[in-house]
Amino acid sequence: METLPASPTPFRVVLAGCGGITRSWLSHAAQRTDLDFVGLVDLLPENAAKVQAQFGLSNARIGTDLAEMIDATNADVVFDCTIPAAHKTVVLTALAHGCHVLGEKPLAESMADAREMLAAAQASGKSYAVIQNRRYLDNIVRFREVIRAGQIGPLTTLNADFYLAPHFGGFRDAMEHVLLLDMAIHSFDQARYIADADPVSVYCHEWNPTGSWYAYGASAQCIFEMTNGLVFNYRGSWCAEGLQTAWACAWRAIGQKGTARWDGEDEIQVAAVVGSEGFLRETAQLDPPVTPALEFTNHAGVINEFIESLKSGRVPQTVCTDNIKSLAMVHAAIESAESGRKVMVGF
Ligand SMILES: NC(=O)c1ccc[n+]([C@@H]2O[C@H](COP(=O)([O-])OP(=O)(O)OC[C@H]3O[C@@H](n4cnc5c(N)ncnc54)[C@H](O)[C@@H]3O)[C@@H](O)[C@H]2O)c1
């Protein structure tokens, strides 16, 4: 999967799963002239029909069986927007039928499934990448650049706070480890991206707060040891009404010379030591480096990166072989929460 032959365009695309998240995909993808939506697959055909009408995908057939749809349409790309429990079947089917796949997070519900999917992708010679849309925000790129440019010195500690209170309804209400499995994957992947570091071990405490409208695990706190001795602390809850953080988390990065904060939205602050004496050393505020604006952000950013990578034959940023490291953080955190022990992160 390191380099792929360049593919012809437009790509013939089948979308599997036509629920809530498809709007984030199709508001960009349906506009692209290099994508031809030839099929819409959902267990509930009425969901596919709704999406077809909403995004004017009149060339697309509607069906309930992915394998049949790929064969009937001669598709070469599958977009997987199904629920997490269906990702393994959808991805294995798509690869076995000769398609590249861009799929929703999380890659899989278990590491065993994820490894099977990676092996299938590598054996097929097709590209399989995962949506990690929070890498495609102008300010995460800028915040990361503060660290890469050395403004706060070598990174020692990274903290992320995630406090929101969404009342989704649907599959999440009954899902086990709902925060860790469905949401924290974004924050863990962001931490790897911001710090250019990989996970080593984790201790996690997970609980469901009294009054939670979720069945399991709406809150969690994790301490990760990362490569280069970095400690990444995650505090999260999906059951925290009032004074909510950004979906992209509120971040504090501490380096040997200073600290940077990002509120997950528009504000980045940097302060670094300038004095060498005194009880508290003198610090100065620094302007974060200016980074070029992204051409596309969020889902559009990942989709664009994936499609352009297919055209040029390069490896997409969120390729499954890298994304499994973020997924491994999730599953190690779950194992730690269940066992009450610190767990090594394997991938
Ligand atoms: N990247 C993000 O920011 C983000 C945000 C929300 C959801 N998601 C992810 O998107 C995925 C879908 O979430 P959603 O909120 O759209 O869920 P949803 O329940 O609204 O929609 C899922 C759709 O998939 C269909 N489906 C289920 N199993 C299927 C199968 N085997 N084959 C075909 N269709 C099937 C369902 O009928 C439904 O129409 C999940 O993996 C979720 O974690 C990502």
Side-chain angles (χ1 to χ4, degrees), residues 17-21 41-44 47 81-84 86-87 104-106 131 133-134 171-172 182 186 299:
C18 299
I21 198 59
V41 173
D42 200 293
L43 298 180
L44 304 173
N47 288 2
C81 293
T82 61
I83 57 173
H87 290 177
E104 262 302 343
K105 44 58 60 175
I131 286 275
N133 42 304
R134 285 175 228 289
F171 71 87
R172 292 179 186 82
D182 195 57
H186 280 299
H299 274 73

Side-chain angles (χ1 to χ4, degrees), residues 222-262:
C222 304
I223 304 169
F224 285 97
E225 288 171 315
M226 308 286 284
T227 44
N228 299 329
L230 173 71
V231 174
F232 165 51
N233 298 294
Y234 170 80
R235 303 188 298 185
S237 179
W238 244 349
C239 192
E241 297 282 13
L243 299 180
Q244 295 175 4
T245 63
W247 283 86
C249 295
W251 294 84
R252 176 182 283 262
I254 304 168
Q256 290 176 22
K257 294 192 318 195
T259 292
R261 283 196 304 215
W262 173 41

Side-chain angles (χ1 to χ4, degrees), residues 84-335:
H87 290 177
K88 178 181 166 185
T89 309
V90 167
V91 170
L92 293 181
T93 303
L95 293 170
H97 287 258
C99 290
H100 303 290
V101 187
L102 179 62
E104 262 302 343
K105 44 58 60 175
L107 195 159
E109 285 199 310
S110 72
M111 287 303 288
D113 285 356
R115 290 188 189 107
E116 194 180 331
M117 293 155 76
L118 250 67
Q122 285 171 316
S124 72
K126 298 292 169 186
S127 182
Y128 170 37
V130 179
I131 286 275
Q132 294 291 175
N133 42 304
R134 285 175 228 289
R135 284 183 179 223
Y136 289 82
L137 301 170
D138 283 316
N139 277 338
I140 197 171
V141 175
R142 203 167 181 206
F143 186 57
R144 180 184 196 229
E145 202 50 39
V146 169
I147 296 154
R148 289 163 71 96
Q151 286 191 315
I152 59 171
L155 195 62
T156 65
T157 313
L158 185 64
N159 295 352
D161 276 358
F162 178 92
Y163 289 111
L164 281 140
H167 295 254
F168 290 104
F171 71 87
R172 292 179 186 82
D173 284 6
M175 190 174 172
E176 290 192 21
H177 309 293
V178 62
L179 179 77
L180 288 171
L181 196 54
D182 195 57
M183 188 64 223
I185 181 75
H186 280 299
S187 318
F188 296 172
D189 186 70
Q190 285 178 275
R192 288 186 50 237
Y193 176 70
I194 289 167
D196 272 324
D198 284 331
V200 176
S201 72
V202 62
Y203 177 78
C204 172
H205 181 76
E206 180 195 40
W207 74 105
N208 201 32
T210 304
S212 170
W213 51 95
Y214 297 86
Y216 307 95
S219 298
Q221 298 194 2
C222 304
I223 304 169
F224 285 97
E225 288 171 315
M226 308 286 284
T227 44
N228 299 329
L230 173 71
V231 174
F232 165 51
N233 298 294
Y234 170 80
R235 303 188 298 185
S237 179
W238 244 349
C239 192
E241 297 282 13
L243 299 180
Q244 295 175 4
T245 63
W247 283 86
C249 295
W251 294 84
R252 176 182 283 262
I254 304 168
Q256 290 176 22
K257 294 192 318 195
T259 292
R261 283 196 304 215
W262 173 41
D263 67 358
E265 286 169 351
D266 298 332
E267 191 168 289
I268 296 175
Q269 295 170 297
V270 187
V273 167
V274 288
S276 56
E277 291 182 8
F279 177 59
L280 294 176
R281 301 296 201 252
E282 187 185 347
T283 61
Q285 302 273 337
L286 302 176
D287 289 329
V290 175
T291 49
L294 297 173
E295 188 181 1
F296 297 102
T297 58
N298 267 305
H299 274 73
V302 193
I303 293 166
N304 183 62
E305 157 79 4
F306 181 72
I307 296 301
E308 294 304 325
S309 78
L310 290 184
K311 289 182 197 169
S312 65
R314 68 183 154 78
V315 177
Q317 184 182 158
T318 57
V319 64
C320 58
T321 45
D322 181 77
N323 193 252
I324 196 169
K325 297 177 184 175
S326 302
L327 189 76
M329 294 172 79
V330 171
H331 287 288
I334 289 172
E335 188 185 334

